[in-house]
């Protein structure tokens, strides 16, 4: 009997092919990158006065969030869809200052600071 067609040889050949297919499949799965918030979204962060909050709103959709300034005088709004945003400093729900047309780019953060020496943090902004 020809050893190429023996049942034992055939089983080994099939086993090797299955093992090779498994290794190739594992490598393929390992190389696929999954989408994460960092790949499809950006962030806005910066400095602001203690006791204030910062609202980050999309100019296109109006969606966004409001975050509080932490004890170190920093704020951060992560996982924002890409687009142009208005970043507003608020005190007791009232607008104090705004940064317009802030670009949020996927995978990046943009720093937007509110410096009380440059703006009047003790006054509520007059909105038209």
């Amino acid at each position: 009997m020809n050893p190429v067609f023996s049942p034992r040889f055939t089983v080994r050949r099939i086993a090797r092919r299955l093992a090779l297919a498994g290794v190739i499949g594992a490598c393929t799965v390992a190389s696929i990158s999954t989408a994460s918030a960092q790949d499809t979204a950006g962030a806005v962060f910066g400095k602001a006065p203690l006791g204030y909050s910062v609202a980050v709103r999309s100019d296109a959709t109006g969606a966004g969030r409001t975050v509080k300034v932490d004890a170190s005088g920093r704020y951060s709004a992560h996982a924002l869809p890409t687009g142009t945003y208005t970043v507003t400093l608020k005190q007791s729900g009232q607008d104090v200052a705004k940064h317009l047309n802030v670009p949020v780019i996927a995978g990046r953060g943009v720093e937007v600071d509110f410096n009380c020496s440059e703006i009047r943090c003790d006054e509520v902004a007059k909105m038209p």
Side-chain angles (χ1 to χ4, degrees):
M1 180 177 212
N2 188 346
V4 175
F5 297 112
S6 71
R8 188 175 195 184
F9 185 77
T10 303
V11 169
R12 283 185 183 170
R13 185 174 34 189
I14 291 171
R16 274 190 240 132
R17 287 181 180 172
L18 286 174
L20 180 60
V23 169
I24 291 171
C27 290
T28 302
V29 169
S31 69
I32 296 173
S33 84
T34 57
S36 66
Q38 295 157 350
D39 295 332
T40 60
V44 174
F45 62 92
K47 298 175 189 173
L50 295 175
Y52 288 70
S53 61
V54 177
V56 182
R57 299 276 174 242
S58 168
D59 294 343
T61 66
R65 66 180 59 91
T66 300
V67 294
K68 291 186 178 186
V69 178
D70 67 17
S72 64
R74 308 280 305 165
Y75 74 92
S76 181
H78 292 281
L80 298 169
T82 59
T84 305
Y85 285 76
T86 297
V87 183
T88 307
L89 180 67
K90 293 179 168 277
Q91 182 181 36
S92 302
Q94 298 293 318
D95 294 353
V96 176
K98 288 186 179 186
H99 286 278
L100 305 174
N101 302 316
V102 176
V104 173
I105 300 169
R108 295 189 180 182
V110 60
E111 186 168 8
V112 178
D113 293 332
F114 291 96
N115 186 345
C116 281
S117 65
E118 296 173 5
I119 59 174
R120 300 283 311 223
C121 293
D122 56 343
E123 293 181 10
V124 174
K126 307 292 187 238
M127 298 296 139

